[in-house]
Short mmCIF file of all heavy atoms in Angstrom, two decimals:
data_model
loop_
_atom_site.label_atom_id
_atom_site.label_comp_id
_atom_site.label_asym_id
_atom_site.label_seq_id
_atom_site.Cartn_x
_atom_site.Cartn_y
_atom_site.Cartn_z
N LYS A 265 -124.11 -51.05 -19.13
CA LYS A 265 -123.29 -50.71 -17.95
C LYS A 265 -122.86 -51.98 -17.23
O LYS A 265 -122.00 -51.95 -16.36
CB LYS A 265 -124.08 -49.80 -17.02
CG LYS A 265 -124.10 -48.36 -17.54
CD LYS A 265 -125.21 -47.54 -16.98
CE LYS A 265 -124.87 -46.97 -15.60
NZ LYS A 265 -126.00 -46.04 -15.24
N LYS A 266 -123.50 -53.09 -17.52
CA LYS A 266 -123.01 -54.36 -16.92
C LYS A 266 -123.33 -55.51 -17.87
O LYS A 266 -124.07 -55.39 -18.87
CB LYS A 266 -123.68 -54.57 -15.57
CG LYS A 266 -125.16 -54.54 -15.56
CD LYS A 266 -125.73 -54.83 -14.15
CE LYS A 266 -127.23 -54.50 -14.05
NZ LYS A 266 -127.79 -54.80 -12.72
N ASN A 267 -122.77 -56.64 -17.56
CA ASN A 267 -122.93 -57.83 -18.36
C ASN A 267 -124.32 -58.39 -18.15
O ASN A 267 -124.67 -58.78 -16.99
CB ASN A 267 -121.87 -58.83 -17.91
CG ASN A 267 -121.44 -59.69 -19.08
OD1 ASN A 267 -122.08 -59.61 -20.12
ND2 ASN A 267 -120.36 -60.42 -18.91
N VAL A 268 -125.15 -58.37 -19.10
CA VAL A 268 -126.48 -58.94 -18.97
C VAL A 268 -126.82 -59.87 -20.12
O VAL A 268 -126.28 -59.77 -21.24
CB VAL A 268 -127.58 -57.86 -18.99
CG1 VAL A 268 -127.61 -57.10 -17.68
CG2 VAL A 268 -127.39 -56.89 -20.11
N SER A 269 -127.70 -60.83 -19.84
CA SER A 269 -128.14 -61.82 -20.88
C SER A 269 -129.42 -61.27 -21.50
O SER A 269 -130.05 -60.33 -21.02
CB SER A 269 -128.44 -63.15 -20.25
OG SER A 269 -129.60 -62.98 -19.40
N TRP A 270 -129.77 -61.85 -22.66
CA TRP A 270 -131.02 -61.50 -23.32
C TRP A 270 -132.18 -61.63 -22.38
O TRP A 270 -133.07 -60.79 -22.27
CB TRP A 270 -131.24 -62.31 -24.58
CG TRP A 270 -132.34 -61.82 -25.47
CD1 TRP A 270 -132.30 -60.86 -26.39
CD2 TRP A 270 -133.73 -62.18 -25.30
NE1 TRP A 270 -133.57 -60.64 -26.88
CE2 TRP A 270 -134.46 -61.47 -26.26
CE3 TRP A 270 -134.45 -63.11 -24.46
CZ2 TRP A 270 -135.84 -61.58 -26.39
CZ3 TRP A 270 -135.81 -63.24 -24.65
CH2 TRP A 270 -136.50 -62.49 -25.61
N ASP A 271 -132.20 -62.76 -21.61
CA ASP A 271 -133.35 -63.00 -20.75
C ASP A 271 -133.43 -61.92 -19.63
O ASP A 271 -134.54 -61.51 -19.24
CB ASP A 271 -133.21 -64.39 -20.12
CG ASP A 271 -133.50 -65.44 -21.13
OD1 ASP A 271 -134.39 -65.27 -22.02
OD2 ASP A 271 -132.80 -66.51 -21.11
N GLU A 272 -132.30 -61.53 -19.16
CA GLU A 272 -132.33 -60.49 -18.10
C GLU A 272 -132.87 -59.17 -18.64
O GLU A 272 -133.66 -58.51 -17.97
CB GLU A 272 -130.91 -60.29 -17.56
CG GLU A 272 -130.45 -61.44 -16.67
CD GLU A 272 -128.97 -61.41 -16.36
OE1 GLU A 272 -128.17 -61.02 -17.24
OE2 GLU A 272 -128.61 -61.78 -15.22
N VAL A 273 -132.46 -58.85 -19.82
CA VAL A 273 -133.00 -57.59 -20.41
C VAL A 273 -134.49 -57.72 -20.71
O VAL A 273 -135.28 -56.85 -20.45
CB VAL A 273 -132.20 -57.21 -21.73
CG1 VAL A 273 -132.82 -55.99 -22.36
CG2 VAL A 273 -130.73 -56.97 -21.38
N LYS A 274 -134.83 -58.89 -21.19
CA LYS A 274 -136.22 -59.14 -21.48
C LYS A 274 -137.07 -58.96 -20.17
O LYS A 274 -138.18 -58.42 -20.17
CB LYS A 274 -136.46 -60.62 -22.04
CG LYS A 274 -137.90 -60.99 -22.36
CD LYS A 274 -138.58 -60.17 -23.40
CE LYS A 274 -139.79 -60.82 -24.00
NZ LYS A 274 -140.75 -61.23 -23.01
N ALA A 275 -136.57 -59.48 -19.12
CA ALA A 275 -137.27 -59.33 -17.81
C ALA A 275 -137.43 -57.85 -17.44
O ALA A 275 -138.45 -57.47 -16.86
CB ALA A 275 -136.47 -60.08 -16.73
N VAL A 276 -136.50 -57.04 -17.76
CA VAL A 276 -136.59 -55.60 -17.51
C VAL A 276 -137.70 -55.02 -18.35
O VAL A 276 -138.54 -54.23 -17.87
CB VAL A 276 -135.26 -54.92 -17.75
CG1 VAL A 276 -135.45 -53.39 -17.76
CG2 VAL A 276 -134.25 -55.35 -16.70
N TYR A 277 -137.73 -55.33 -19.59
CA TYR A 277 -138.82 -54.86 -20.46
C TYR A 277 -140.17 -55.32 -19.88
O TYR A 277 -141.15 -54.54 -19.78
CB TYR A 277 -138.65 -55.35 -21.88
CG TYR A 277 -137.81 -54.44 -22.73
CD1 TYR A 277 -136.54 -54.86 -23.16
CD2 TYR A 277 -138.24 -53.20 -23.16
CE1 TYR A 277 -135.72 -54.05 -23.97
CE2 TYR A 277 -137.46 -52.35 -23.92
CZ TYR A 277 -136.20 -52.78 -24.35
OH TYR A 277 -135.41 -51.96 -25.08
#
Side-chain angles (χ1 to χ4, degrees):
Chain A
K265 283 161 82 174
K266 55 179 170 178
N267 212 349
V268 283
S269 68
W270 189 88
D271 288 324
E272 288 167 323
V273 176
K274 177 66 159 54
V276 168
Y277 275 110

